[in-house]
């Protein structure tokens, strides 16, 4: 097979997601996931062409999980050994102030990712496990770490800095790192390509609205602000995360509600956001509830949209001039109601939606009216392709 491929691996605390990508065609050749690693029974799913294989079996650890994945490639296809895999690209959530670009993995890079674990205690240790196993099982393929924070590593100091005692912040690496950077970078570049304009000319706001959600302000291809902070908890209202709250809520619950720090962590990360307000975190279900007259669901959507509008306004002010506003990820690409609600009333700011263009799912497409001073777009994100292309670039630059 002469087509070159990149194996993209996203190793989580109890899961491994993977995709074999053709970085030149921009297509996924095969994909799958291993879930519930370490539990009594795990789930495995592998898709190649029109074949999908699903299995339920114990997956005691990541090494076994990765071995199962490689066996499935041999059994169902395509064989990893004849797929011309030129790189294995690993998604890494936290690159701290250390990584502002993807890195070719060696022992030193592994150590540095490990050292950043206090900033991403659930993610970085899981990435390290995945990287170690992949290096063992695929020793001949170069491995690359692609960081979710890299696009925001060079945020202007005034956007990256929390206004807290600078000695405490420095001692504990407390700053705004952002997240979803691979998506914001990819989408902002795709915007330029779609509009056939140099990215360096464009002032953009990108709204990545998935289960996690984040906004970024991008000036000339460089991020100048983003809504996620030390962790992905800050910023927009999300599926299950609160986004911005008064930090004193934590003290209040700790002191007066008998909640431990772990309880509050769980509350704000997993029992808040749209789910906390309505009981559901999927927007399709949320709209059904609203249609059925559920007041909690209606308020959840109002709170979600209100926060988004605040960020659009804030980033507009920071950019000074806005050329493009882009919606991406599961909600951004598919939910025309959310898009319409966010843009409603922003006509005086030059954001004029065309209701017919906005209707329906998918993209890429322009959804602003002809003559709208700000172009509003839907651009599908593709983090796996972005990781594959960045990994390939690192390998080619060796
Ligand atoms: P993740 O953050 O897990 O990568 P995605 O970007 O895939 O998530 O977004 C998943 C979310 O997208 C779902 O939870 C759901 O709320 C939303 N979504 C998916 N399809 C639709 C749709 N047709 N209409 C509205 N929302 C949708």
């Amino acid at each position: 097979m002469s087509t070159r491929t990149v194996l993209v691996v996203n190793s989580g605390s109890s899961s491994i997601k993977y995709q074999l990508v053709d970085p030149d065609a921009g297509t996924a050749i095969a994909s799958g996931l291993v879930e519930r690693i370490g539990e009594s029974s795990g789930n495995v799913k592998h898709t190649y062409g029109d074949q999908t294989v699903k299995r339920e079996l114990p997956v005691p650890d990541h090494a076994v999980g990765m071995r199962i994945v490689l066996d499935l490639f041999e059994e169902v296809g395509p064989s990893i050994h004849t797929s011309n895999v030129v790189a294995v690209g690993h998604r890494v959530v936290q690159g701290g102030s250390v990584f502002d670009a993807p890195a070719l993995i060696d022992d030193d890079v592994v150590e540095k990712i490990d050292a950043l674990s206090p900033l991403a205690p659930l993610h970085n240790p899981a990435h390290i496990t995945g990287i170690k196993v992949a290096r063992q099982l695929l020793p001949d393929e170069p491995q690359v770490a692609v960081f979710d924070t890299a696009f925001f590593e060079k945020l202007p100091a005034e956007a990256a800095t929390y206004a807290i005692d600078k000695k405490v912040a420095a001692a504990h690496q407390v700053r705004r790192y952002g997240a979803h950077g691979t998506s914001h970078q990819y989408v902002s570049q795709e915007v330029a390509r779609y509009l056939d304009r140099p990215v360096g000319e464009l002032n953009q706001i990108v709204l990545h609205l998935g289960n996690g959600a984040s906004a970024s302000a991008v000036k000339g291809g460089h991020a100048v602000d983003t809504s996620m902070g030390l962790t992905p908890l800050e910023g927009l209202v999300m599926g299950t995360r609160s986004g911005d709250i008064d930090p004193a809520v934590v003290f209040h619950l700790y002191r007066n509600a008998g909640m431990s720090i772990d309880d509050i962590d769980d509350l704000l990360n997993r029992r808040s956001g749209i789910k906390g307000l309505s009981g559901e975190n999927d927007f399709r279900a949320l709209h059904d509830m609203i249609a059925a007259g559920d007041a909690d669901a209606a308020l959840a959507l109002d709170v979600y949209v209100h926060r988004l509008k605040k960020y659009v306004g804030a980033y507009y002010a920071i950019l000074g001039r806005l050329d493009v506003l882009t919606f991406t990820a599961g909600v951004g690409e598919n939910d025309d109601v959310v898009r319409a609600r966010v843009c409603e009333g922003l006509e005086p700011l030059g954001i004029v939606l065309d209701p017919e263009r906005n209707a329906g799912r998918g993209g890429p497409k322009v959804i602003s009216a002809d003559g709208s001073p700000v172009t509003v777009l839907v651009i599908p994100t593709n983090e796996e392709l972005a990781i594959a292309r960045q990994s390939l670039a690192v390998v080619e630059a060796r």
Side-chain angles (χ1 to χ4, degrees):
M1 204 189 277
S2 61
T3 311
R4 51 188 187 166
T5 65
V6 177
L7 180 63
V8 175
V9 178
N10 182 356
S11 173
S13 52
S14 65
S15 68
I16 301 170
K17 290 186 194 144
Y18 60 91
Q19 206 174 90
L20 186 69
V21 176
D22 175 343
D24 301 306
T27 51
I29 298 168
S31 63
L33 76 166
V34 182
E35 285 177 308
R36 299 169 61 200
I37 296 175
E39 293 182 31
S40 56
S41 179
N43 295 327
V44 180
K45 183 174 155 186
H46 179 90
T47 302
Y48 173 44
D50 53 12
Q51 270 198 83
T52 294
V53 172
K54 287 185 192 173
R55 301 226 168 112
E56 228 185 283
L57 74 173
V59 187
D61 55 35
H62 285 72
V64 174
M66 204 63 187
R67 171 55 46 218
I68 292 171
V69 170
L70 295 180
D71 287 347
L72 279 167
F73 270 107
E74 298 314 309
E75 184 191 323
V76 184
S79 165
I80 284 289
H81 304 293
T82 55
S83 289
N84 193 16
V85 177
V86 292
V88 181
H90 294 270
R91 174 173 185 253
V92 178
V93 161
Q94 183 53 271
S97 297
V98 181
F99 296 102
D100 65 356
L104 190 65
I105 293 175
D106 56 17
D107 293 345
D108 179 50
V109 168
V110 172
E111 244 172 64
K112 285 178 173 149
I113 297 172
D114 202 15
L116 292 165
S117 291
L119 294 171
L122 291 180
H123 291 101
N124 275 29
H127 301 326
I128 297 282
T129 309
I131 288 169
K132 284 186 175 158
V133 171
R135 286 178 89 193
Q136 269 165 18
L137 295 179
L138 299 167
D140 299 329
E141 283 77 13
Q143 316 259 334
V144 179
V146 178
F147 300 91
D148 229 20
T149 47
F151 189 50
F152 303 121
E153 205 279 325
K154 296 234 166 347
L155 278 185
E158 65 270 23
T161 305
Y162 286 117
I164 63 169
D165 182 330
K166 66 179 185 183
K167 291 193 208 79
V168 174
H172 298 282
Q173 299 162 284
V174 179
R175 59 157 275 189
R176 308 189 60 253
Y177 294 104
H180 287 155
T182 307
S183 175
H184 285 279
Q185 182 174 23
Y186 172 83
V187 169
S188 54
Q189 287 168 356
E190 285 299 300
V191 164
R193 202 206 311 240
Y194 183 70
L195 296 176
D196 198 18
R197 289 184 61 185
V199 74
E201 273 180 9
L202 297 174
N203 282 4
Q204 309 189 36
I205 294 175
V206 177
L207 301 178
H208 174 114
L209 310 179
N211 213 356
S214 59
S216 68
V218 181
K219 194 171 200 147
H222 302 285
V224 293
D225 208 345
T226 193
S227 60
M228 285 177 165
L230 177 82
T231 75
L233 184 53
E234 190 180 342
L236 302 176
V237 177
M238 314 184 203
T240 65
R241 295 185 204 131
S242 62
D244 297 334
I245 55 162
D246 182 343
V249 169
V250 177
F251 320 144
H252 172 67
L253 294 175
Y254 178 73
R255 291 180 184 134
N256 301 312
M259 293 177 79
S260 68
I261 291 299
D262 285 345
D263 291 339
I264 302 170
D265 187 330
D266 183 65
L267 171 81
L268 298 180
N269 275 296
R270 282 178 281 280
R271 290 190 283 131
S272 296
I274 293 291
K275 187 180 177 74
L277 292 173
S278 75
E280 265 297 341
N281 65 319
D282 191 300
F283 274 72
R284 289 160 287 198
L286 188 76
H287 289 304
D288 289 345
M289 290 165 75
I290 295 171
D294 188 311
D296 290 339
L299 177 62
L301 185 62
D302 290 348
V303 174
Y304 182 87
V305 168
H306 181 79
R307 183 81 50 85
L308 270 166
K309 277 190 190 232
K310 277 207 311 206
Y311 271 90
V312 170
Y315 288 176
Y316 203 141
I318 282 165
L319 290 166
R321 183 198 83 229
L322 180 63
D323 300 306
V324 193
L325 169 66
T326 303
F327 289 87
T328 191
V331 178
E333 290 165 32
N334 294 307
D335 196 323
D336 48 9
V337 175
V338 164
R339 294 194 300 255
R341 291 275 312 270
V342 170
C343 295
E344 192 183 314
L346 302 187
E347 295 80 8
L349 298 181
I351 297 171
V352 186
L353 224 55
D354 178 319
E356 269 173 40
R357 289 179 185 167
N358 180 48
R361 301 172 50 196
K365 64 178 178 178
V366 177
I367 58 171
S368 47
D370 292 339
S372 173
V374 176
T375 304
V376 187
L377 299 178
V378 175
I379 299 284
T381 192
N382 190 337
E383 286 171 278
E384 288 79 12
L385 177 60
I387 291 170
R389 287 191 171 154
Q390 290 193 32
S391 302
L392 181 63
V394 167
V395 168
E396 283 182 330
R398 280 188 302 172

